[in-house]
Amino acid sequence: MVGLMFKAVLFDFDSTLVDYRYGDHLAIDEIRKKVCSYFNSNDFYEKSKEILYKIYENPRPSEADVNELRIKNLLQELELNYEKHHIKEYYRIYLNTVLVYEGVHEFFKSIIGKTKTGLLTNSIDSHNQRKRIEVSKLGSYFDEIGIANEIGYWKPDIESFSWLAKRLHVRNTECIFIGDNEENDIKGASNAGMYTIKRNREDKPKETTIANRTFDTFNELTSIIGEIL
């Protein structure tokens, strides 16, 4: 690490700091229980994820409620009727069930005052994403938060990473980016000139990565950052 000087540590949000799947699955499953309880829970959820991924493909809708569209399309494919209370039920659970990974709060407390911090998240629905960040109680740890639909740039675009670095008044090469997604987070940040650290997800097999470092737990990450800063 000799010769490296980092002034900011940047993060992805979902599946890096919080378990997106946990709250989303609970919320989708509540709809399944009400409209088709006979349907397998995991199959129902996986189908909903496929539909969500299609919605997030270009061109991305800028104003649409992606989760309402997702639920409508899901029920339509199963020849079931969508009703407005379905999306209300989804958000009642999804927006209030944000599971922070073990050790995250302790990690941030360990770096307070040592570096600038930023959050960069790909989200169409910025209002609800800010609500989830608030519920997670992680928002106060960040000097700057960038949500794709607000800033107009999406990971892995280099511009999205550069936007956050500029807001923090640091160079891209002075940033460490921490994320879980190889394409959006690691390759994107690397192309932007940033040092990258990848979180290995417990729900996915380890894959080849171009990240400079990897970690499984936030205790490990604390040690890695302690070596670098």
Side-chain angles (χ1 to χ4, degrees):
M1 297 302 163
V2 177
L4 295 180
M5 179 64 71
F6 296 112
K7 297 180 180 179
V9 182
L10 317 180
F11 300 84
D12 169 53
F13 186 64
D14 286 306
S15 300
T16 296
L17 298 175
V18 304
D19 190 340
Y20 167 79
R21 182 185 177 98
Y22 179 79
D24 186 52
H25 195 168
L26 283 178
I28 288 291
D29 202 53
E30 191 65 22
I31 296 171
R32 179 195 64 83
K33 290 175 183 177
K34 287 181 166 52
V35 300
C36 55
S37 59
Y38 54 85
F39 209 99
N40 178 273
S41 176
N42 286 331
D43 290 344
F44 190 77
Y45 182 63
E46 291 303 317
K47 185 66 176 175
S48 78
K49 279 174 56 182
E50 289 176 15
I51 292 171
L52 185 62
Y53 293 154
K54 289 179 183 177
I55 294 172
Y56 265 85
E57 290 174 356
N58 285 325
R60 298 183 179 96
S62 59
E63 301 298 332
D65 184 327
V66 293
N67 284 304
E68 183 172 26
L69 185 57
R70 167 196 191 184
I71 294 166
K72 282 181 178 179
N73 291 351
L74 173 62
L75 296 182
Q76 183 178 22
E77 286 197 21
L78 297 175
E79 298 182 345
L80 296 167
N81 293 326
Y82 169 81
E83 297 179 15
K84 197 67 178 177
H85 67 84
H86 292 143
I87 189 62
K88 292 181 179 179
E89 192 66 17
Y90 172 84
Y91 280 131
R92 181 184 67 80
I93 296 172
Y94 175 68
L95 294 181
N96 295 289
T97 310
V98 185
L99 181 64
V100 178
Y101 290 123
E102 183 178 356
V104 170
H105 286 287
E106 291 77 9
F107 167 78
F108 277 107
K109 290 173 184 176
S110 75
I111 65 171
I112 289 175
K114 298 178 181 179
T115 181
K116 294 181 179 181
T117 56
L119 183 69
L120 188 63
T121 173
N122 273 0
S123 179
I124 291 173
D125 191 341
S126 55
H127 174 77
N128 285 333
Q129 190 71 330
R130 286 195 178 276
K131 168 66 175 176
R132 294 179 66 242
I133 293 168
E134 177 187 349
V135 170
S136 75
K137 296 185 177 7
L138 297 177
S140 62
Y141 295 129
F142 301 111
D143 297 307
E144 188 66 55
I145 295 174
I147 299 178
N149 197 43
E150 291 181 348
I151 68 177
Y153 301 116
W154 295 76
K155 295 181 292 183
D157 294 346
I158 291 174
E159 290 83 357
S160 64
F161 299 94
S162 297
W163 179 92
L164 187 54
K166 288 176 183 176
R167 296 283 291 192
L168 292 170
H169 305 289
V170 297
R171 297 183 178 90
N172 287 12
T173 53
E174 295 173 324
C175 297
I176 299 168
F177 193 90
I178 300 168
D180 72 289
N181 186 284
E182 184 69 18
E183 291 295 325
N184 289 342
D185 298 325
I186 304 306
K187 290 184 179 179
S190 179
N191 288 338
M194 297 180 177
Y195 186 93
T196 56
I197 303 177
K198 184 175 183 178
R199 177 182 177 269
N200 296 318
R201 288 174 55 174
E202 62 283 345
D203 62 332
K204 294 179 67 176
K206 289 185 180 180
E207 57 186 354
T208 302
T209 180
I210 64 169
N212 298 97
R213 301 285 291 271
T214 65
F215 71 99
D216 293 308
T217 70
F218 278 86
N219 282 337
E220 289 180 48
L221 181 61
T222 299
S223 297
I224 292 172
I225 293 297
E227 295 170 12
I228 298 173
L229 290 182

